[in-house]
C-alpha cells in the first residue's frame, strides 16, 4: 500500500556521538556548528564550535554566505534543532551531519 504521509528522504546523516566525532576529526573541510541560542552556547559547547542560532533570523542569512565546499557537523541540546538546521542546509546544497542525541552524545 502506498503511504502518502511518508516523509521525504533526508539529505543529511544522523550520527551517534562517536561516529560524529570521528567523521569530524577526519574531514579536512569540517566545520563544527552549534545551532543553540547564544545563551546556551555561552554556558558551554564543544571546543572549536561556531555558534549560529537556528531559531534566529540570521540563520537563513548566514546560509547565503557559508562555504558549500565545507562539511558541516551540526549539534544542539537534543538533536531536534540541529536536525532542522541540517534539513535546511541540505536543501541549500550543503553537506551536513546531525549529532543525534545532541551535545550530550559527544564523547568526553
Amino acid at each position: 500500500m502506498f503511504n502518502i504521509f511518508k516523509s521525504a528522504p533526508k539529505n543529511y546523516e544522523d550520527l551517534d556521538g562517536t561516529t560524529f566525532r570521528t567523521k569530524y576529526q577526519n574531514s579536512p573541510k569540517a566545520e563544527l556548528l552549534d545551532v543553540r541560542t547564544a545563551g546556551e552556547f555561552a554556558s558551554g559547547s564543544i571546543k572549536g564550535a561556531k555558534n549560529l542560532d537556528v531559531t534566529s533570523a540570521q540563520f537563513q542569512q548566514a546560509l547565503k554566505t557559508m562555504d558549500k565546499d565545507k562539511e558541516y557537523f551540526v549539534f544542539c541540546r537534543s538533536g531536534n534543532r540541529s536536525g532542522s538546521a541540517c534539513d535546511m542546509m541540505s536543501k541549500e546544497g550543503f553537506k551536513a551531519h546531525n549529532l543525534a542525541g545532541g551535545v550530550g552524545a559527544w564523547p568526553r
Side-chain angles (χ1 to χ4, degrees):
M1 185 174 156
F2 184 71
N3 182 357
I4 59 170
F5 299 108
K6 189 169 191 222
S7 61
K10 289 192 298 193
N11 293 316
Y12 66 90
E13 289 183 294
D14 283 315
L15 302 173
D16 65 79
T18 303
T19 306
F20 184 91
R21 184 170 77 174
T22 301
K23 280 193 159 204
Y24 168 67
Q25 290 172 334
N26 292 322
S27 172
K29 293 183 176 184
E31 185 83 42
L32 194 57
L33 207 53
D34 184 336
V35 295
R36 299 176 299 163
T37 65
E40 287 173 297
F41 181 75
S43 71
S45 189
I46 298 171
K47 188 178 189 305
K50 290 185 178 169
N51 184 220
L52 181 58
D53 183 355
V54 70
T55 63
S56 74
Q58 287 80 27
F59 188 81
Q60 289 287 355
Q61 284 302 112
L63 290 183
K64 293 179 172 80
T65 62
M66 288 164 52
D67 187 346
K68 288 191 175 150
D69 289 333
K70 289 189 175 181
E71 202 170 341
Y72 292 90
F73 291 82
V74 188
F75 67 95
C76 66
R77 185 182 54 79
S78 68
N80 289 333
R81 285 175 284 174
S82 52
S84 296
C86 285
D87 189 49
M88 284 185 256
M89 291 173 77
S90 66
K91 285 177 179 158
E92 295 293 327
F94 292 97
K95 184 169 172 87
H97 307 283
N98 181 34
L99 177 53
V103 68
W106 178 263
R108 301 275 173 235

